[in-house]
Amino acid sequence: MTQTSNLSAAPDASGRTTAPRTPRIHRAWFVAAVAFVTIIGAAAFRSLPGLLLDPLHQEFGWSRGTIGLAVSVNLALYGLTAPFAAALMDRYGIRKVVAAALTVIAVGSGLTVWMTAAWQLLLCWGLLVGLGTGSMALAFAATVTNRWFTERRGLVTGILTAAAASGQLVFLPLLSWIVQEHHWRPAAVTVAVSALAVVPFVWLLLRDHPADVGLPPYGAKEFVPKPAPVPGAARRTLGVLFSAVRTGPFWLLAGTFAICGASTSGLVQTHFVPASHDHGMPITAAASLLAVIGVFDILGTIASGWFTDRYDARRLLAVYYALRGLSLLFLPMLLAPSVHPPMVFFIVFYGLDWVATVPPTLALCREHYGDDSAIVFGWVLASHQVGAAVVAFAGGVARDVFGSYDVVWFASGALCAAAALMSLVIRRRPAPSSLVTAA
């Protein structure tokens, strides 16, 4: 984490050049740590919906399909907001966007305490929390990585991606205990308070660019001036999209990542707890298993980042999707009233692969789309969340119609096999400097 290379001089406020002072531990690692903690907090906001399906169904009589629709709106907005948030960070800075997003989340989660109709769930948890979490999505991690690091990008991407799993580990057992012992409203309040608590932390410690503290990015051999704010965030975001959709790699990356979202956030994160409860497993036990997935996801995602710095990202994706699909095909046979060794093996195996797809996917975006890679990845992430939203809704409908989730597990396993093949079709090519000339 140290950096000792000779660096070009950096201009000071008066225009003179002075040699930048490189600290023993580069400031980029502290910024990454702040982003890690922020993303951990965001994971709490996304871990609650799966715990609310049964309590809301019992209290209000809403169908699981109706509740699943609110979750699907949340998941879709989480993805669709990401590319615009990446552009807004270029315009207004990371700190302002993330602080505003945390405030929106707190408002949305807090208002659910007083809801009495399904449309209010759609508004509060679907719209507000979806917009807020989308602004702190993995595009936030991509922006931090692209600005602060030129080396170890795969590793840092893996660490920041693993933060979401760490958040599940910290909050999911706690929230499940609150839901079981004190009902769902105190859990919603806990999420709101957690969001507000992170705001001053972000405002005081997060920095937008290495130039703000007079340093080059980690691994850079010369000082990089802070770019001017980019106006027209929406226009730029859409312009990048229109350029990207004319390329084959974008559709393959978006398609594979949609399947990734369908087989993780939309399926397991949303429906694993109620599916396990259908087989007689206590909610707290099922939630704890999801938390264990989070433990092993930390190891798997960091390892994936390390692998991405060294191996072909396309082949890594093919292996990850193939193994995930295989594990999902076996899951219906493993669900039981109690936790047994084969289920533990599934949890470990699946956990190592949970979001291991993110570092190689982001690396391929960076390879093909250069300076616009964070925004392109935001659109790829949008496809991830659309896939998640479809399965979150379809899973609830399947449970209402068939009385079980089996058909959804099998369908997701087949989709993962298709994603493995799609990954191998992506071509390698040097990245252009930019898709769209910044306005």
Side-chain angles (χ1 to χ4, degrees):
M1 294 191 299
T2 58
Q3 188 177 5
T4 58
S5 59
N6 295 324
L7 303 169
S8 299
D12 60 18
S14 63
R16 295 174 298 178
T17 57
T18 57
R21 182 174 58 87
T22 304
R24 187 183 183 114
I25 300 178
H26 197 282
R27 179 68 176 268
W29 294 104
F30 292 101
V31 172
V34 174
F36 182 90
V37 173
T38 304
I39 296 171
I40 283 179
F45 321 138
R46 300 187 60 234
S47 64
L48 188 57
L51 302 176
L52 297 183
L53 283 173
D54 286 334
L56 293 178
H57 173 69
Q58 293 169 7
E59 178 171 340
F60 297 106
W62 302 335
S63 70
R64 290 177 175 82
T66 298
I67 301 169
L69 178 61
V71 176
S72 70
V73 171
N74 177 291
L75 292 171
L77 286 176
Y78 176 86
L80 293 172
T81 304
F84 293 96
L88 286 172
M89 289 176 189
D90 288 342
R91 177 66 178 88
Y92 298 105
I94 298 174
R95 287 193 303 170
K96 292 180 180 179
V97 173
V98 174
L102 288 166
T103 304
V104 170
I105 290 170
V107 172
S109 182
L111 288 177
T112 59
V113 173
W114 292 283
M115 69 181 177
T116 57
W119 69 266
Q120 294 166 348
L121 178 65
L122 285 167
L123 174 64
C124 296
W125 201 267
L127 179 63
L128 294 179
V129 177
L131 290 173
T133 53
S135 299
M136 295 189 304
L138 293 175
F140 166 45
T143 301
V144 170
T145 304
N146 289 350
R147 290 186 181 186
W148 283 88
F149 293 85
T150 59
E151 294 181 356
R152 303 291 188 269
R153 280 176 166 174
L155 177 62
V156 175
T157 301
I159 292 173
L160 294 182
T161 303
S166 301
Q168 276 194 351
L169 170 65
V170 171
F171 288 102
L172 192 55
L174 172 63
L175 293 174
S176 66
W177 177 82
I178 293 174
V179 169
Q180 180 167 295
E181 298 296 328
H182 303 285
H183 211 41
W184 63 270
R185 286 180 176 83
V189 172
T190 300
V191 169
V193 172
S194 299
L196 288 178
V198 177
V199 172
F201 186 74
V202 167
W203 192 260
L204 293 174
L205 299 179
L206 195 63
R207 292 294 179 268
D208 292 329
H209 194 277
D212 290 340
V213 291
L215 290 174
Y218 178 83
K221 299 189 180 302
E222 59 183 24
F223 185 83
V224 177
K226 183 177 181 179
V230 181
R235 184 176 69 252
R236 181 180 178 222
T237 302
L238 294 174
V240 170
L241 173 63
F242 293 149
S243 296
V245 296
R246 294 197 292 268
T247 65
F250 175 82
W251 290 107
L252 291 168
L253 289 169
T256 55
F257 223 42
I259 294 172
C260 178
S263 57
T264 53
S265 301
L267 181 62
V268 174
Q269 184 171 326
T270 303
H271 295 292
F272 179 80
V273 171
S276 298
H277 191 55
D278 283 347
H279 287 75
M281 184 180 293
I283 290 177
T284 52
S288 297
L289 288 176
L290 277 183
V292 174
I293 286 179
V295 175
F296 287 94
D297 176 54
I298 297 172
L299 301 176
T301 308
I302 293 176
S304 177
W306 188 87
F307 289 143
T308 300
D309 285 332
R310 291 161 175 80
Y311 301 107
D312 187 340
R314 301 170 303 160
R315 291 187 171 88
L316 291 175
L317 286 177
V319 171
Y320 296 158
Y321 284 121
L323 293 177
R324 182 185 300 174
L326 184 64
S327 67
L328 288 173
L329 292 177
F330 282 96
L331 180 57
M333 296 178 283
L334 303 179
L335 294 171
S338 60
V339 179
H340 50 90
M343 174 59 81
V344 173
F345 179 80
F346 167 82
I347 293 297
V348 172
F349 188 85
Y350 187 84
L352 291 171
D353 200 349
W354 177 264
V355 285
T357 56
V358 173
T361 299
L362 180 53
L364 288 169
C365 286
R366 190 179 297 119
E367 176 182 314
H368 284 275
Y369 305 109
D371 294 341
D372 293 321
S373 60
I375 296 177
V376 173
F377 181 70
W379 285 114
V380 172
L381 178 62
S383 72
H384 179 283
Q385 295 309 116
V386 169
V390 169
V391 173
F393 174 66
V397 172
R399 173 60 178 80
D400 290 334
V401 173
F402 300 109
S404 76
Y405 289 98
D406 289 357
V407 65
V408 189
W409 305 124
F410 293 137
S412 295
L415 285 173
C416 287
L421 295 175
M422 292 166 64
S423 301
L424 295 175
V425 177
I426 301 173
R427 293 181 299 173
R428 301 292 301 270
R429 78 177 186 185
S433 60
S434 180
L435 283 174
V436 176
T437 302

